[in-house]
Amino acid sequence: MIRILFVCTGNTCRSPMAEAILKNKNLPGVEVRSAGVYASAGQGASMHASHILVENDIVHNHRSKPLTKEEMEWATHIFTMTQGHKAVIISGHPNMIDKTFTLKEFVLDDKYDRDIIDPFGGSEGIYRETFKELQDLIEKLVMRLQE
């Protein structure tokens, strides 16, 4: 069983979109969750994130969750949206280092461009760009996990 945890800041934009995109693929043997390093519990996905998912025929009933030790222990892979998120996890939980990567680092092996821009507070167009970037990265992630 592969258990993927996507992590961003507030768990209302990037990580819920990533979770929804991967869940929508209905891959056997893959479970997906998301959380935020500074999230409060119970918020819905941002309005633009929700709209972009619906626009792409993806149904996702999301409620934000703060990142917990239990969530991290559940995961076989933790994919963060930025190097900052990764640093927060590793500084507080050094034992998670072997399974924590930025999503870009894991799928692109890029040593320099590892962050996915936060669309929070931006236009719907910015959310669309973030969705497209996540969609492309998750396609590559699926291929990498199936190797």
Side-chain angles (χ1 to χ4, degrees):
M1 179 65 67
I2 296 172
R3 294 180 308 274
I4 294 175
L5 179 64
F6 289 110
V7 177
C8 69
T9 307
N11 193 220
T12 59
C13 302
R14 291 169 288 181
S15 61
M17 285 196 291
E19 176 187 10
I21 292 165
L22 186 53
K23 274 185 174 177
N24 191 56
K25 295 186 178 303
N26 296 310
L27 300 174
V30 177
E31 293 180 16
V32 188
R33 296 180 185 172
S34 67
V37 293
Y38 301 116
S40 58
Q43 292 184 322
S46 72
M47 179 181 67
H48 289 324
S50 296
H51 183 253
I52 300 304
L53 290 173
V54 169
E55 190 175 89
N56 285 275
D57 297 320
I58 298 174
V59 176
H60 186 60
N61 186 16
H62 178 74
R63 290 287 164 230
S64 62
K65 293 182 293 197
L67 183 63
T68 63
K69 182 180 176 191
E70 293 74 28
E71 290 287 328
M72 290 185 285
E73 288 173 348
W74 167 85
T76 58
H77 298 77
I78 300 170
F79 296 123
T80 67
M81 299 296 122
T82 68
Q83 292 186 94
H85 300 134
K86 179 182 174 182
V88 167
I89 291 170
I90 292 170
S91 68
H93 304 276
N95 58 319
M96 299 293 162
I97 194 166
D98 291 337
K99 64 178 176 179
T100 304
F101 308 88
T102 70
L103 180 57
K104 281 186 170 182
E105 169 188 22
F106 189 81
V107 300
L108 301 177
D109 196 27
D110 191 322
K111 294 179 182 8
Y112 303 104
D113 179 21
R114 293 188 173 174
D115 291 355
I116 296 168
I117 293 173
D118 190 354
F120 184 76
S123 69
E124 196 169 277
I126 291 170
Y127 276 81
R128 244 183 228 101
E129 289 173 28
T130 301
F131 176 86
K132 176 73 172 116
E133 182 177 21
L134 287 168
Q135 196 172 38
D136 292 345
L137 291 167
I138 289 168
E139 284 298 324
K140 289 175 176 68
L141 173 63
V142 168
M143 291 186 332
R144 173 109 192 255
L145 291 174
Q146 293 174 341
E147 289 177 350

